[in-house]
Structures are given as structure tokens and as C-alpha cells.
């Protein structure tokens, strides 16, 4: 199901930033999408040390509250960064999160990998500040531009309000909350109109993960692709990661899901079963089809490549059959 991440960048709960972000997310919820508000200052994110580990390995050497944030950022279809202006920048806690996105920058620009959702994921900036200077939001806008680029999102714009200082000031503004609600609704509207496709296999570690990523990569703006397995494996098969990376596709931060996690998210427009012979759980779907695919589990890299290429052809065919 489409997922929207709201980054609450003020250390102050229920202040101006949070009120503005809540209004935006309320607009998103009206489209029936899943949302999550992330309280950055409570997440325990250490600042980047600039050690360059991520440039070599593609992952951050530190392990802390940012581990979850990488997964949430990669899951999100729309990311909204909400921040107060602190000395023409973001609060330090939020800047720590932004700097740690260097690991995603490295995956993109050093390792040449593309997140399958990157071609259509959107990013938006909400900002509040006390003064009324023309350049009040210039600093955070520049930071946001490169933040969104690194996580694979197009920067869709800023909604900033000046002369907002004391707690509750934003609620006194004649239009601010309504504007935020309207932007949330408008920016997430397209996501809610996509056809929903679920790929189901046994472990959600190979075939269904490939299919989900390929559909997202080629037509994620028109299809909301998800995948799950009857008996989810602890992690995605490293050979799946490898053969997808050969095609430039980055499956990092994804994990296998059990069918139970997606059951309640129906009805899907299309359920594609691939090798869950015994007891595919009852998923509510308007249409179903069975893809008869070789199971590459335990096989050679060449077997994984064969299956990947077969799935790629079938995904392209699916797009042409249902894409109108
Ligand atoms: C450390 C700090 C630095 C600030 N720097 C600026 C600034 O450079 N320009 C500005 O207009 N407001 C500045 N402000 C004011 C905040 O942007 C303003 O109070 C905002 O409404 C706070 O949002 P919140 O209620 O979500 O915390 C600063 C506030 C703090 C605490």
C-alpha cells in the first residue's frame, strides 16, 4: 500500500512544525494512504563522521536510530520534510538525519545503483520561521534539494510560512493549515489511483522481490507493486540482490514479508502467484494469475539471471496488458 513518510524536524512536539505537518498528513490520509510521522529528535541519530565507509561499502558504519530511517525512506512513495528554521538551517537533530543520507548518496553516485522507486518518488518541504526575510527558506531549500536527490525523490516544492514563532502561531495564520492539507491531498492523489498488484511466492526472497522491484522501476507511477511470501525468509537472497544490481537496481533495505502483513491491505487489482503451491492464503483480489517460473533457490547465478530476465519480460507484458 502507498506509504507517506512525514519527517517531523522540530525538537518541539506539537509546535508550529508539527501542526503544519499534521495538516499535510491529514490531507494524505483523506486519499486512504498509510502515513508515518517520524520524530527525528527522539530517534537517536548520531551525526555523520565523514569516514567514507559508505562510499566503499554502500552502508553506514554506525548503527543506531538511523537504521529504521533508511528502511522507511526506501519504503516511502512520498517524503515530506517539515522543519523550523534554526539559524537559516534545520535543527541539528534533523541535519544529522540528512547527513546520514550520505549512505544513500554513495549507493547512487559511487556504486551506480538506482532505487526502483526513484523514477517517481516525490519529496516536499514544509518550513516555518520567526522572521520575514526574503531568504528565510533559501538555506533549507538548498539542503532539501540535495537530500531528496540522494534518496531518489523529485523535489516538488516548498510551503513555507514566515513570522511564525510562538507556540500555536501557525494555527492563527488564516490559510496555513488548509494550504498544507490541500498540498498533502494533491501530492498523494496520483499514488492512490494506481492499480494495486501483489506478487506472492513462498519465501519472498527471490522471484516476488524481483517482480515487485521491476514493476516499480518500469511503471511505479501507474502500479502500486507489493510482494509477500507464505513462509518469509529472514532476508532477501544475496543472489537476488546481485542479479538485480547487475541491472542497476538497488534492493538494499528491503526485507521479506509474510502474507499476513499484506492480507488486510486488499483488495488488490491483481494477485500474481508464483510457486506457492500448497496453501496460498486467501488474498482479496479482483483478478489472479499464476506465473509458472523456475525456482532459483540454491541455484547458480546463471539460474537467477534466467529467472530475472523471464520476470522482466512478464512484468513488461503485464504493464502493456493492464497499463491503459
Ligand atoms: C535555536 C533556534 C534558532 C532559530 N533561528 C531562527 C532563524 O534563524 N530565523 C528565524 O526566522 N527563526 C529562527 N528561530 C525561530 C523558529 O524558527 C520559530 O520559533 C519556529 O516557529 C519554531 O517552530 P516549532 O514551534 O515547530 O519548534 C530559531 C529558534 C531556535 C530555537
Amino acid at each position: 500500500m502507498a506509504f507517506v513518510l512525514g519527517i517531523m524536524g522540530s525538537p518541539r512536539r506539537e509546535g508550529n512544525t508539527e501542526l503544519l505537518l499534521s495538516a499535510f498528513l491529514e490531507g494524505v490520509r483523506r486519499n486512504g494512504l498509510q502515513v508515518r510521522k517520524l520524530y527525528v529528535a527522539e530517534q537517536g541519530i548520531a551525526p555523520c563522521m565523514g569516514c567514507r565507509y559508505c562510499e566503499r561499502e554502500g552502508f553506514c558504519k554506525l548503527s543506531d536510530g538511523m537504521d529504521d530511517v533508511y528502511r522507511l525512506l526506501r519504503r516511502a512513495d512520498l517524503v515530506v520534510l517539515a522543519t523550523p528554521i534554526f539559524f537559516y538551517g534545520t535543527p541539528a537533530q534533523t541535519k544529522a538525519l540528512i547527513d546520514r543520507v550520505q549512505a544513500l548518496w554513495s549507493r547512487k553516485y559511487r556504486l551506480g545503483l538506482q532505487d526502483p522507486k526513484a523514477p517517481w518518488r516525490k519529496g516536499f518541504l514544509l518550513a516555518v520561521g520567526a522572521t520575514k526575510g526574503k531568504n528565510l527558506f533559501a538555506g533549507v531549500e538548498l539542503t532539501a534539494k540535495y537530500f531528496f536527490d540522494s534518496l531518489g525523490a523529485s523535489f516538488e516544492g516548498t510551503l513555507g510560512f514566515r513570522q511564525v514563532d510562538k507556540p500555536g502561531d501557525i494555527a492563527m495564520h488564516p490559510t496555513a493549515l488548509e494550504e498544507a492539507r490541500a498540498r498533502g491531498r494533491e501530492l498523494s492523489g496520483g499514488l492512490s489511483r494506481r492499480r494495486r498488484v501483489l506478487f506472492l511466492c513462498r519465501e519472498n526472497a527471490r522471484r516476488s522481490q524481483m517482480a515487485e522491484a521491476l514493476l516499480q522501476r518500469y511503471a511505479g507511477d501507474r502500479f502500486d507493486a507489493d510482494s509477500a511470501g507464505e513462509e518469509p525468509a529472514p532476508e532477501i537472497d544475496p543472489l537476488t540482490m546481485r542479479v538485480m544490481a547487475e541491472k542497476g537496481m538497488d534492493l538494499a533495505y528491503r526485507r521479506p514479508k509474510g502474507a499476513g502483513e499484506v492480507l488486510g491491505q486488499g483488495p488488490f487489482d491483481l494477485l500474481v502467484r508464483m510457486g506457492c503451491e500448497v496453501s496460498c492464503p486467501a488474498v482479496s483480489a479482483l483478478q489472479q494469475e499464476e506465473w509458472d517460473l523456475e525456482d532459483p533457490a540454491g541455484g547458480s547465478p546463471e539460474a537467477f539471471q534466467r529467472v530475472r530476465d523471464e520476470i522482466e519480460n512478464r512484468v513488461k507484458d503485464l504493464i502493456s496488458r493492464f497499463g491503459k
Side-chain angles (χ1 to χ4, degrees):
M1 183 184 267
F3 172 64
V4 178
L5 180 64
I7 300 177
M8 212 298 267
S10 172
R12 191 186 288 154
R13 270 196 185 233
E14 290 170 26
N16 294 310
T17 309
E18 185 167 10
L19 288 175
L20 195 61
L21 177 60
S22 298
F24 183 97
L25 295 177
E26 210 180 296
V28 170
R29 276 201 199 89
R30 286 188 193 165
N31 284 321
L33 307 189
Q34 233 179 38
V35 307
R36 163 100 183 252
K37 194 193 285 173
L38 181 81
Y39 291 92
V40 178
E42 295 160 34
Q43 190 66 26
I45 301 170
C48 172
M49 299 302 287
C51 69
R52 301 198 146 192
Y53 179 89
C54 67
E55 291 187 34
R56 293 188 305 273
E57 306 297 328
F59 292 100
C60 185
K61 199 174 168 181
L62 305 173
S63 179
D64 57 16
M66 193 65 195
D67 299 350
D68 284 340
V69 179
Y70 290 123
R71 280 190 283 272
L72 290 169
L73 289 170
R74 280 293 176 97
R75 215 185 110 202
D77 300 290
L78 164 65
V79 177
V80 53
L81 172 63
T83 184
I85 301 301
F86 277 18
F87 288 91
Y88 284 85
T90 68
Q93 297 91 336
T94 302
K95 188 58 165 52
L97 181 155
I98 292 169
D99 289 350
R100 293 281 295 281
V101 164
Q102 181 72 356
L104 303 183
W105 179 93
S106 294
R107 299 191 72 79
K108 182 175 176 183
Y109 291 111
R110 288 281 185 259
L111 307 186
L113 294 171
Q114 194 189 36
D115 173 4
K117 291 190 171 191
W120 45 268
R121 179 187 287 119
K122 292 183 166 84
F124 192 71
L125 176 67
L126 296 172
V128 294
T131 56
K132 56 180 178 182
K134 184 168 145 275
N135 294 324
L136 183 58
F137 303 120
V140 291
E141 275 195 301
L142 209 48
T143 302
K145 180 177 168 193
Y146 293 102
F147 167 68
F148 287 129
D149 178 73
S150 297
L151 62 89
S154 60
F155 185 16
E156 297 291 321
T158 307
L159 193 56
F161 294 95
R162 294 174 169 80
Q163 294 180 284
V164 172
D165 194 15
K166 291 186 292 301
D169 269 1
I170 195 80
M172 308 300 208
H173 188 285
T175 58
L177 300 183
E178 197 38 55
E179 281 182 63
R181 227 171 268 127
R183 288 299 267 154
R185 192 164 190 181
E186 178 199 322
L187 273 170
S188 58
L191 294 172
S192 67
R193 289 190 288 272
R194 298 177 301 174
R195 282 173 200 257
R196 301 190 57 213
V197 180
L198 177 67
F199 298 99
L200 207 55
C201 74
R202 202 163 44 81
E203 292 191 314
N204 192 216
R206 300 169 195 89
R207 294 166 293 184
S208 57
Q209 288 283 351
M210 292 182 194
E212 175 189 346
L214 285 158
L215 186 54
Q216 287 169 347
R217 168 75 183 78
Y218 292 129
D221 55 338
R222 286 169 287 149
F223 294 88
D224 180 359
D226 209 342
S227 70
E230 278 180 287
E231 300 161 9
E235 58 179 35
I236 296 179
D237 191 315
L239 278 176
T240 303
M241 309 283 281
R242 186 168 131 190
V243 301
M244 293 300 277
E246 285 170 6
K247 290 249 166 191
M249 264 176 279
D250 191 5
L251 268 54
Y253 307 104
R254 296 182 177 216
R255 60 169 185 84
K257 290 196 293 290
E261 285 185 55
V262 295
L263 274 183
Q265 296 181 5
F268 292 90
D269 294 295
L270 176 66
L271 168 66
V272 180
R273 297 150 57 114
M274 27 177 65
C276 48
E277 304 91 7
V278 203
S279 59
C280 258
V283 173
S284 159
L286 303 177
Q287 283 187 63
Q288 287 199 32
E289 51 190 64
E290 186 87 39
W291 288 6
D292 185 17
L293 295 164
E294 173 187 351
D295 184 355
S300 63
E302 292 72 29
F304 277 75
Q305 286 163 340
R306 249 192 336 266
V307 171
R308 174 202 64 197
D309 294 344
E310 170 71 19
I311 292 174
E312 184 172 22
N313 288 335
R314 286 178 185 250
V315 163
K316 286 181 174 168
D317 174 62
L318 184 158
I319 295 167
S320 63
R321 282 186 291 129
F322 292 89
K324 299 286 175 294

